[in-house]
Coordinates of all heavy atoms in Angstrom, one line a residue:
M1 N -12.3 11.8 -61.1 CA -13.2 11.4 -60.0 C -14.6 11.8 -60.4 O -14.9 12.8 -60.9 CB -12.8 12.3 -58.8 CG -13.8 12.2 -57.6 SD -13.6 13.4 -56.3 CE -12.3 12.7 -55.4
S2 N -15.5 10.8 -60.2 CA -16.9 11.1 -60.6 C -17.7 11.3 -59.3 O -17.4 10.8 -58.2 CB -17.5 9.9 -61.4 OG -18.0 8.9 -60.5
H3 N -18.7 12.1 -59.4 CA -19.6 12.5 -58.3 C -21.0 12.1 -58.6 O -21.4 12.1 -59.8 CB -19.5 14.0 -58.0 CG -18.1 14.5 -57.7 ND1 -17.5 14.2 -56.5 CD2 -17.3 15.2 -58.4 CE1 -16.3 14.8 -56.6 NE2 -16.1 15.4 -57.7
D4 N -21.8 11.9 -57.6 CA -23.2 11.8 -57.7 C -23.8 13.2 -58.0 O -23.1 14.2 -57.9 CB -23.8 11.2 -56.4 CG -23.5 9.8 -56.2 OD1 -23.3 9.0 -57.2 OD2 -23.4 9.4 -55.1
C5 N -25.0 13.2 -58.4 CA -25.6 14.5 -58.7 C -27.0 14.6 -58.0 O -27.7 13.6 -57.8 CB -25.8 14.6 -60.2 SG -26.5 16.1 -60.8
V6 N -27.3 15.8 -57.6 CA -28.6 16.1 -57.0 C -29.4 17.0 -58.1 O -28.8 17.9 -58.6 CB -28.5 16.8 -55.6 CG1 -27.8 18.1 -55.7 CG2 -29.9 17.0 -55.0
A7 N -30.6 16.6 -58.3 CA -31.4 17.3 -59.3 C -32.4 18.3 -58.6 O -33.0 17.9 -57.5 CB -32.2 16.4 -60.2
F8 N -32.6 19.5 -59.2 CA -33.5 20.5 -58.6 C -34.5 20.8 -59.6 O -34.3 20.9 -60.8 CB -32.7 21.8 -58.3 CG -31.8 21.6 -57.1 CD1 -30.5 21.3 -57.3 CD2 -32.3 21.8 -55.8 CE1 -29.6 21.1 -56.2 CE2 -31.4 21.7 -54.7 CZ -30.1 21.3 -54.9
G9 N -35.7 21.0 -59.2 CA -36.8 21.5 -60.0 C -37.6 22.5 -59.2 O -38.2 22.3 -58.2
L10 N -37.5 23.8 -59.7 CA -38.2 24.9 -59.1 C -39.6 25.0 -59.7 O -39.7 25.1 -60.9 CB -37.4 26.2 -59.2 CG -35.9 26.1 -58.7 CD1 -35.2 27.4 -59.0 CD2 -35.9 25.8 -57.3
M11 N -40.6 25.0 -58.8 CA -42.0 25.0 -59.3 C -42.6 26.4 -59.2 O -42.1 27.2 -58.4 CB -42.8 24.0 -58.6 CG -42.2 22.6 -58.7 SD -43.1 21.3 -57.9 CE -43.6 21.9 -56.4
N12 N -43.7 26.6 -59.9 CA -44.5 27.8 -59.9 C -43.7 29.0 -60.5 O -42.7 28.8 -61.2 CB -45.0 28.1 -58.5 CG -45.8 27.0 -57.9 OD1 -46.6 26.3 -58.6 ND2 -45.7 26.7 -56.6
D13 N -44.2 30.2 -60.2 CA -43.5 31.4 -60.8 C -42.2 31.7 -60.1 O -42.2 31.9 -58.9 CB -44.5 32.6 -60.7 CG -45.7 32.4 -61.6 OD1 -45.6 31.8 -62.7 OD2 -46.8 32.9 -61.2
I14 N -41.2 31.8 -60.8 CA -39.9 32.1 -60.3 C -39.6 33.6 -60.6 O -39.5 34.0 -61.8 CB -38.7 31.3 -60.9 CG1 -39.1 29.8 -60.8 CG2 -37.4 31.6 -60.2 CD1 -39.3 29.3 -59.4
P15 N -39.5 34.5 -59.6 CA -39.4 35.9 -59.9 C -38.1 36.4 -60.4 O -37.8 37.6 -60.5 CB -39.8 36.6 -58.6 CG -39.3 35.6 -57.6 CD -39.5 34.2 -58.2
V16 N -37.1 35.5 -60.6 CA -35.8 35.9 -61.1 C -35.4 35.1 -62.3 O -36.0 34.1 -62.5 CB -34.7 35.8 -59.9 CG1 -35.0 36.8 -58.8 CG2 -34.7 34.4 -59.5
C17 N -34.3 35.5 -62.9 CA -33.8 34.7 -64.1 C -32.9 33.6 -63.5 O -31.7 33.8 -63.3 CB -33.0 35.6 -65.0 SG -34.0 36.8 -65.9
I18 N -33.5 32.5 -63.3 CA -32.8 31.3 -62.9 C -33.5 30.1 -63.5 O -34.7 30.1 -63.7 CB -32.8 31.2 -61.3 CG1 -31.9 30.0 -60.8 CG2 -34.1 31.1 -60.8 CD1 -31.7 30.0 -59.3
N19 N -32.7 29.1 -64.0 CA -33.2 27.9 -64.6 C -34.1 27.2 -63.6 O -33.8 27.1 -62.4 CB -32.2 27.0 -65.1 CG -31.4 27.6 -66.3 OD1 -31.8 28.7 -66.8 ND2 -30.3 27.0 -66.7
D20 N -35.2 26.6 -64.1 CA -36.1 25.9 -63.1 C -35.8 24.4 -63.0 O -36.3 23.7 -62.1 CB -37.6 26.1 -63.5 CG -37.9 25.7 -64.9 OD1 -37.0 25.2 -65.6 OD2 -39.1 25.8 -65.3
H21 N -34.9 23.9 -63.8 CA -34.4 22.5 -63.7 C -32.9 22.5 -64.0 O -32.4 23.0 -65.0 CB -35.1 21.6 -64.7 CG -36.5 21.4 -64.4 ND1 -37.5 22.2 -64.8 CD2 -37.1 20.4 -63.7 CE1 -38.7 21.8 -64.4 NE2 -38.5 20.7 -63.7
F22 N -32.2 21.9 -63.0 CA -30.7 21.8 -63.2 C -30.2 20.8 -62.1 O -30.9 20.3 -61.3 CB -30.0 23.1 -62.9 CG -30.4 23.8 -61.6 CD1 -29.6 23.6 -60.5 CD2 -31.5 24.6 -61.5 CE1 -30.0 24.2 -59.3 CE2 -31.9 25.1 -60.3 CZ -31.1 24.9 -59.2
G23 N -28.9 20.4 -62.3 CA -28.3 19.4 -61.3 C -27.0 20.0 -60.8 O -26.4 20.8 -61.5
L24 N -26.6 19.5 -59.7 CA -25.3 19.9 -59.1 C -24.6 18.7 -58.5 O -25.3 17.8 -58.1 CB -25.6 20.9 -57.9 CG -26.1 22.3 -58.4 CD1 -26.5 23.1 -57.1 CD2 -25.0 23.1 -59.2
P25 N -23.3 18.7 -58.5 CA -22.5 17.6 -58.0 C -22.6 17.4 -56.5 O -22.7 18.4 -55.8 CB -21.1 17.8 -58.5 CG -21.0 19.3 -58.6 CD -22.4 19.8 -59.1
V26 N -22.7 16.2 -56.1 CA -22.7 15.8 -54.7 C -21.3 15.3 -54.4 O -20.9 14.3 -54.9 CB -23.7 14.8 -54.3 CG1 -23.6 14.4 -52.8 CG2 -25.1 15.3 -54.6
M27 N -20.5 16.0 -53.6 CA -19.1 15.6 -53.3 C -19.1 14.9 -51.9 O -18.0 14.3 -51.6 CB -18.2 16.8 -53.3 CG -18.2 17.4 -54.7 SD -17.2 18.9 -54.7 CE -17.7 19.6 -56.2
G28 N -20.1 14.9 -51.2 CA -20.2 14.1 -49.9 C -19.5 14.8 -48.7 O -18.9 15.9 -48.9
Y29 N -19.5 14.1 -47.6 CA -18.9 14.7 -46.4 C -17.5 14.9 -46.6 O -16.9 16.0 -46.2 CB -19.2 13.7 -45.2 CG -18.8 14.3 -43.9 CD1 -19.6 15.2 -43.2 CD2 -17.6 13.9 -43.3 CE1 -19.2 15.7 -42.0 CE2 -17.2 14.4 -42.1 CZ -18.0 15.3 -41.4 OH -17.6 15.8 -40.2
A30 N -16.7 14.0 -47.1 CA -15.3 14.1 -47.3 C -15.0 15.2 -48.3 O -13.9 15.8 -48.2 CB -14.7 12.8 -47.8
G31 N -15.9 15.5 -49.2 CA -15.6 16.5 -50.2 C -16.0 17.9 -49.8 O -15.9 18.9 -50.6
G32 N -16.5 18.0 -48.6 CA -16.8 19.4 -48.0 C -18.2 19.8 -48.2 O -18.5 21.0 -48.0
D33 N -19.2 18.9 -48.5 CA -20.6 19.3 -48.6 C -21.2 19.6 -47.3 O -22.2 20.4 -47.3 CB -21.4 18.2 -49.3 CG -21.2 18.1 -50.8 OD1 -20.6 19.1 -51.4 OD2 -21.7 17.2 -51.4
V34 N -20.8 19.1 -46.2 CA -21.4 19.3 -44.9 C -20.6 20.4 -44.2 O -19.4 20.2 -43.8 CB -21.4 18.0 -44.1 CG1 -22.1 18.3 -42.7 CG2 -22.2 16.9 -44.8
L35 N -21.3 21.5 -44.0 CA -20.7 22.6 -43.2 C -21.4 22.8 -41.9 O -22.5 22.2 -41.7 CB -20.8 23.9 -44.1 CG -20.2 23.8 -45.5 CD1 -20.6 25.0 -46.3 CD2 -18.7 23.7 -45.3
P36 N -20.9 23.6 -41.0 CA -21.5 23.7 -39.6 C -23.0 24.1 -39.7 O -23.8 23.7 -38.8 CB -20.6 24.7 -38.9 CG -19.3 24.6 -39.6 CD -19.6 24.3 -41.0
D37 N -23.3 25.0 -40.6 CA -24.7 25.5 -40.6 C -25.5 25.2 -41.9 O -26.6 25.7 -42.0 CB -24.6 27.1 -40.4 CG -23.9 27.7 -41.6 OD1 -23.1 27.1 -42.3 OD2 -24.1 29.0 -41.8
R38 N -24.9 24.4 -42.8 CA -25.6 24.1 -44.0 C -25.0 22.9 -44.7 O -23.9 22.5 -44.5 CB -25.6 25.3 -44.9 CG -24.2 25.6 -45.5 CD -24.1 26.9 -46.1 NE -23.6 27.9 -45.1 CZ -23.3 29.1 -45.4 NH1 -23.3 29.5 -46.6 NH2 -22.9 29.9 -44.5
I39 N -25.8 22.5 -45.7 CA -25.3 21.5 -46.7 C -25.0 22.3 -48.0 O -25.9 23.1 -48.4 CB -26.3 20.4 -47.0 CG1 -26.7 19.7 -45.7 CG2 -25.9 19.5 -48.1 CD1 -25.6 18.9 -45.1
Q40 N -23.9 22.1 -48.7 CA -23.6 22.8 -49.9 C -23.4 21.8 -51.0 O -22.6 20.9 -50.9 CB -22.3 23.6 -49.7 CG -21.9 24.3 -50.9 CD -20.8 25.3 -50.7 OE1 -21.0 26.3 -50.1 NE2 -19.5 24.9 -51.1
Y41 N -24.1 22.0 -52.1 CA -23.9 21.2 -53.3 C -23.3 22.2 -54.4 O -23.7 23.3 -54.6 CB -25.2 20.7 -53.9 CG -25.9 19.7 -52.9 CD1 -27.1 20.1 -52.3 CD2 -25.3 18.5 -52.5 CE1 -27.7 19.2 -51.4 CE2 -25.9 17.7 -51.6 CZ -27.1 18.0 -51.1 OH -27.7 17.2 -50.2
G42 N -22.3 21.6 -55.2 CA -21.6 22.4 -56.2 C -20.6 23.3 -55.6 O -20.4 23.4 -54.4
R43 N -19.8 24.0 -56.5 CA -18.8 24.9 -56.1 C -18.6 26.0 -57.1 O -18.9 25.8 -58.3 CB -17.4 24.2 -56.0 CG -17.4 23.0 -55.0 CD -17.5 23.5 -53.5 NE -17.3 22.4 -52.6 CZ -18.3 21.6 -52.2 NH1 -19.5 21.7 -52.6 NH2 -18.0 20.6 -51.3
L44 N -18.2 27.2 -56.6 CA -17.8 28.3 -57.5 C -16.3 28.1 -57.8 O -15.4 28.7 -57.2 CB -18.0 29.6 -56.9 CG -19.5 30.1 -56.7 CD1 -19.6 31.4 -55.9 CD2 -20.1 30.3 -58.1
N45 N -16.0 27.2 -58.7 CA -14.6 26.8 -58.9 C -14.1 27.1 -60.4 O -13.2 26.6 -60.8 CB -14.3 25.4 -58.5 CG -15.2 24.4 -59.3 OD1 -16.0 24.8 -60.1 ND2 -15.1 23.1 -59.0
T46 N -14.9 27.9 -61.1 CA -14.5 28.3 -62.4 C -14.9 29.7 -62.7 O -15.7 30.3 -62.0 CB -15.3 27.4 -63.5 OG1 -14.8 27.7 -64.8 CG2 -16.8 27.5 -63.3
L47 N -14.2 30.3 -63.6 CA -14.5 31.7 -64.0 C -15.5 31.9 -65.1 O -15.9 33.0 -65.5 CB -13.2 32.5 -64.2 CG -12.3 32.6 -63.0 CD1 -11.0 33.3 -63.4 CD2 -13.0 33.3 -61.9
T48 N -15.8 30.8 -65.8 CA -16.7 30.8 -66.9 C -17.8 29.7 -66.8 O -17.5 28.7 -66.1 CB -16.0 30.6 -68.3 OG1 -15.4 29.3 -68.3 CG2 -14.9 31.6 -68.5
W49 N -18.9 30.0 -67.3 CA -20.1 29.1 -67.2 C -20.9 29.3 -68.4 O -21.2 30.4 -68.8 CB -20.8 29.3 -65.9 CG -21.7 28.2 -65.5 CD1 -23.1 28.2 -65.4 CD2 -21.3 26.9 -65.0 NE1 -23.6 27.1 -65.0 CE2 -22.5 26.2 -64.7 CE3 -20.1 26.3 -64.8 CZ2 -22.5 24.9 -64.2 CZ3 -20.1 25.0 -64.3 CH2 -21.3 24.4 -64.0
D50 N -21.3 28.2 -69.1 CA -22.1 28.3 -70.4 C -23.4 29.0 -70.2 O -23.8 29.8 -71.1 CB -22.3 26.9 -71.0 CG -21.0 26.3 -71.5 OD1 -20.0 27.1 -71.8 OD2 -20.9 25.1 -71.6
D51 N -24.1 28.8 -69.2 CA -25.5 29.3 -69.0 C -25.5 30.2 -67.7 O -25.4 29.7 -66.6 CB -26.5 28.1 -68.8 CG -27.9 28.6 -68.8 OD1 -28.1 29.8 -68.6 OD2 -28.8 27.8 -68.9
P52 N -25.6 31.5 -67.9 CA -25.6 32.4 -66.8 C -26.8 32.3 -65.8 O -26.7 32.7 -64.7 CB -25.6 33.8 -67.4 CG -26.2 33.6 -68.7 CD -25.8 32.2 -69.2
N53 N -27.8 31.6 -66.2 CA -29.0 31.4 -65.4 C -29.0 30.0 -64.7 O -29.9 29.7 -64.0 CB -30.3 31.5 -66.2 CG -30.4 32.9 -66.7 OD1 -30.1 33.9 -66.0 ND2 -30.8 33.1 -68.0
E54 N -27.9 29.2 -64.9 CA -27.9 27.9 -64.2 C -27.0 28.1 -62.9 O -25.9 28.5 -63.0 CB -27.2 26.9 -65.1 CG -27.2 25.6 -64.4 CD -27.2 24.4 -65.4 OE1 -27.9 24.5 -66.4 OE2 -26.5 23.4 -65.1
P55 N -27.6 27.7 -61.8 CA -26.8 27.8 -60.5 C -25.6 26.9 -60.5 O -25.7 25.8 -61.1 CB -27.9 27.4 -59.5 CG -29.2 27.7 -60.1 CD -29.0 27.4 -61.6
M56 N -24.6 27.3 -59.9 CA -23.4 26.5 -59.7 C -23.2 26.0 -58.3 O -22.5 25.1 -58.0 CB -22.2 27.4 -60.0 CG -22.1 27.8 -61.4 SD -20.6 28.8 -61.7 CE -19.3 27.7 -61.4
V57 N -24.0 26.6 -57.3 CA -23.9 26.3 -55.9 C -25.3 26.4 -55.3 O -26.1 27.2 -55.7 CB -23.0 27.3 -55.1 CG1 -23.0 27.0 -53.6 CG2 -21.6 27.2 -55.7
C58 N -25.6 25.4 -54.4 CA -26.8 25.4 -53.6 C -26.4 25.3 -52.2 O -25.7 24.4 -51.8 CB -27.7 24.3 -54.1 SG -29.2 24.2 -53.0
N59 N -27.0 26.1 -51.3 CA -26.8 26.0 -49.9 C -28.2 25.7 -49.3 O -29.1 26.5 -49.5 CB -26.2 27.2 -49.2 CG -24.8 27.4 -49.6 OD1 -24.0 26.7 -49.1 ND2 -24.5 28.4 -50.5
I60 N -28.3 24.6 -48.5 CA -29.6 24.4 -47.8 C -29.2 24.5 -46.3 O -28.4 23.7 -45.8 CB -30.1 22.9 -48.1 CG1 -30.3 22.8 -49.6 CG2 -31.4 22.7 -47.3 CD1 -30.7 21.4 -50.0
F61 N -29.8 25.5 -45.7 CA -29.4 25.8 -44.3 C -30.1 25.0 -43.3 O -31.2 24.5 -43.5 CB -29.7 27.3 -44.0 CG -28.8 28.2 -44.8 CD1 -29.1 28.6 -46.1 CD2 -27.6 28.7 -44.2 CE1 -28.2 29.4 -46.8 CE2 -26.8 29.5 -44.9 CZ -27.1 29.9 -46.2
N62 N -29.4 24.8 -42.1 CA -29.9 23.9 -41.1 C -31.3 24.4 -40.5 O -32.0 23.5 -40.0 CB -28.9 23.8 -39.9 CG -27.7 23.0 -40.3 OD1 -27.6 22.4 -41.4 ND2 -26.7 23.1 -39.5
N63 N -31.6 25.6 -40.6 CA -32.8 26.1 -40.0 C -34.0 25.7 -40.9 O -35.2 25.9 -40.5 CB -32.8 27.7 -39.8 CG -32.6 28.4 -41.1 OD1 -32.8 27.9 -42.2 ND2 -32.3 29.7 -41.0
M64 N -33.8 25.1 -42.0 CA -34.8 24.6 -42.9 C -35.8 25.7 -43.4 O -37.0 25.3 -43.6 CB -35.5 23.4 -42.3 CG -34.6 22.2 -42.0 SD -33.9 21.5 -43.5 CE -35.3 20.6 -44.1
T65 N -35.4 26.9 -43.4 CA -36.3 28.0 -43.9 C -35.7 28.7 -45.1 O -36.4 29.6 -45.7 CB -36.6 29.0 -42.8 OG1 -35.4 29.6 -42.4 CG2 -37.3 28.3 -41.6
C66 N -34.4 28.4 -45.5 CA -33.8 29.1 -46.5 C -33.0 28.2 -47.4 O -32.3 27.3 -46.9 CB -32.8 30.2 -46.0 SG -31.9 31.1 -47.3
I67 N -33.1 28.4 -48.7 CA -32.3 27.7 -49.7 C -31.7 28.7 -50.6 O -32.4 29.7 -51.0 CB -33.1 26.6 -50.5 CG1 -32.2 25.8 -51.4 CG2 -34.2 27.2 -51.2 CD1 -32.8 24.5 -51.9
R68 N -30.4 28.6 -50.8 CA -29.7 29.7 -51.6 C -29.0 29.1 -52.8 O -28.4 28.0 -52.7 CB -28.6 30.3 -50.7 CG -27.8 31.4 -51.4 CD -26.6 31.8 -50.5 NE -27.1 32.5 -49.3 CZ -26.4 32.7 -48.2 NH1 -25.2 32.2 -48.1 NH2 -27.0 33.4 -47.2
F69 N -29.1 29.8 -53.9 CA -28.4 29.4 -55.1 C -27.5 30.5 -55.6 O -27.9 31.7 -55.5 CB -29.4 29.1 -56.3 CG -30.4 28.0 -56.0 CD1 -31.7 28.3 -55.6 CD2 -30.0 26.7 -56.1 CE1 -32.5 27.2 -55.3 CE2 -30.8 25.6 -55.8 CZ -32.1 25.9 -55.4
A70 N -26.3 30.2 -56.1 CA -25.4 31.2 -56.6 C -25.2 30.9 -58.1 O -25.0 29.7 -58.5 CB -24.0 31.1 -55.9
T71 N -25.2 31.9 -58.9 CA -25.0 31.8 -60.3 C -23.8 32.7 -60.7 O -23.4 33.6 -59.9 CB -26.2 32.3 -61.1 OG1 -26.4 33.7 -60.8 CG2 -27.4 31.5 -60.8
L72 N -23.2 32.4 -61.8 CA -22.0 33.1 -62.3 C -22.4 33.9 -63.6 O -23.2 33.5 -64.3 CB -20.9 32.1 -62.6 CG -19.5 32.7 -62.9 CD1 -19.0 33.4 -61.6 CD2 -18.6 31.5 -63.3
S73 N -21.7 35.0 -63.8 CA -21.8 35.8 -65.0 C -23.2 36.4 -65.3 O -23.9 36.0 -66.2 CB -21.3 35.0 -66.2 OG -21.2 35.7 -67.3
P74 N -23.6 37.4 -64.5 CA -22.9 38.0 -63.3 C -23.1 37.1 -62.1 O -24.0 36.4 -61.9 CB -23.6 39.3 -63.2 CG -25.0 39.1 -63.6 CD -24.9 38.1 -64.7
L75 N -22.1 37.2 -61.2 CA -22.1 36.5 -59.9 C -23.3 37.1 -59.1 O -23.4 38.3 -58.9 CB -20.8 36.7 -59.1 CG -20.8 36.0 -57.8 CD1 -20.9 34.5 -57.9 CD2 -19.5 36.4 -57.1
R76 N -24.2 36.2 -58.7 CA -25.4 36.7 -57.9 C -25.9 35.5 -57.0 O -25.6 34.4 -57.3 CB -26.5 37.2 -58.8 CG -27.1 36.2 -59.7 CD -28.0 36.9 -60.8 NE -28.8 36.0 -61.6 CZ -28.4 35.5 -62.7 NH1 -27.2 35.7 -63.1 NH2 -29.1 34.6 -63.4
V77 N -26.6 35.9 -56.0 CA -27.2 35.0 -55.1 C -28.7 35.1 -55.1 O -29.2 36.2 -55.1 CB -26.6 35.2 -53.6 CG1 -27.4 34.4 -52.6 CG2 -25.1 34.9 -53.6
V78 N -29.4 34.0 -55.2 CA -30.8 34.0 -55.2 C -31.2 33.1 -54.0 O -30.8 32.0 -53.8 CB -31.4 33.4 -56.5 CG1 -32.9 33.3 -56.4 CG2 -30.9 34.2 -57.7
E79 N -32.0 33.7 -53.1 CA -32.5 33.0 -51.9 C -34.0 32.9 -51.9 O -34.7 33.8 -52.3 CB -32.1 33.8 -50.6 CG -30.6 33.8 -50.4 CD -30.2 34.6 -49.1 OE1 -31.0 35.4 -48.7 OE2 -29.1 34.3 -48.6
F80 N -34.4 31.7 -51.5 CA -35.9 31.4 -51.3 C -36.1 31.1 -49.8 O -35.4 30.3 -49.2 CB -36.3 30.2 -52.2 CG -36.2 30.5 -53.6 CD1 -35.0 30.1 -54.3 CD2 -37.2 31.1 -54.3 CE1 -34.9 30.3 -55.7 CE2 -37.1 31.4 -55.7 CZ -35.9 30.9 -56.4
Y81 N -37.2 31.7 -49.3 CA -37.5 31.4 -47.9 C -38.9 30.8 -47.8 O -39.8 31.0 -48.7 CB -37.6 32.8 -47.1 CG -36.2 33.4 -46.9 CD1 -35.7 34.2 -47.9 CD2 -35.5 33.1 -45.8 CE1 -34.4 34.8 -47.7 CE2 -34.2 33.6 -45.6 CZ -33.7 34.5 -46.6 OH -32.4 35.0 -46.4
G82 N -39.1 29.9 -46.9 CA -40.4 29.2 -46.7 C -40.2 28.0 -45.9 O -39.3 28.0 -45.0
E83 N -41.0 27.0 -46.2 CA -40.9 25.7 -45.4 C -40.6 24.6 -46.4 O -41.1 24.6 -47.6 CB -42.2 25.5 -44.7 CG -42.5 26.5 -43.6 CD -43.9 26.2 -43.0 OE1 -44.5 25.2 -43.3 OE2 -44.2 27.1 -42.2
F84 N -39.9 23.6 -46.0 CA -39.6 22.4 -46.8 C -40.8 21.5 -46.7 O -41.3 21.3 -45.6 CB -38.3 21.8 -46.4 CG -37.1 22.5 -46.8 CD1 -36.6 23.6 -46.1 CD2 -36.4 22.2 -48.0 CE1 -35.5 24.3 -46.4 CE2 -35.3 22.8 -48.4 CZ -34.8 23.9 -47.6
E85 N -41.2 20.8 -47.8 CA -42.2 19.9 -47.8 C -41.7 18.6 -48.4 O -40.9 18.6 -49.4 CB -43.4 20.3 -48.6 CG -44.2 21.5 -48.0 CD -45.4 21.9 -48.9 OE1 -45.8 21.1 -49.7 OE2 -45.9 23.0 -48.7
D86 N -42.2 17.4 -48.0 CA -41.8 16.2 -48.5 C -42.9 15.8 -49.6 O -44.0 15.6 -49.3 CB -41.8 15.1 -47.4 CG -41.4 13.7 -48.0 OD1 -40.8 13.7 -49.1 OD2 -41.6 12.7 -47.3
I87 N -42.5 15.9 -50.9 CA -43.4 15.6 -52.0 C -43.1 14.2 -52.5 O -42.0 13.9 -52.8 CB -43.2 16.7 -53.1 CG1 -43.5 18.1 -52.6 CG2 -44.1 16.3 -54.3 CD1 -43.2 19.1 -53.6
Q88 N -44.2 13.4 -52.5 CA -44.0 12.0 -53.0 C -44.8 11.8 -54.2 O -45.7 12.3 -54.6 CB -44.4 11.1 -51.9 CG -43.6 11.3 -50.7 CD -43.9 10.3 -49.5 OE1 -44.5 9.3 -49.8 NE2 -43.5 10.7 -48.4

């Protein structure tokens, strides 16, 4: 099964060890991406990952003030708070 991909680019100074460019699979509504309080891209479905600074999961919350990334090895959560902007 192939999935679409969403690309992320984190700009400016990132205060944690996380890659600033990466992609995550989009599994869609039927694949469980749409949750009651957030959209989720990617999954923590493996115990190994080649790059410990590459996120495996992204959660974009409905309140549009928080975006969360999860990385593996070590398992950690990185949250960014602020406002979303439409960049064209």
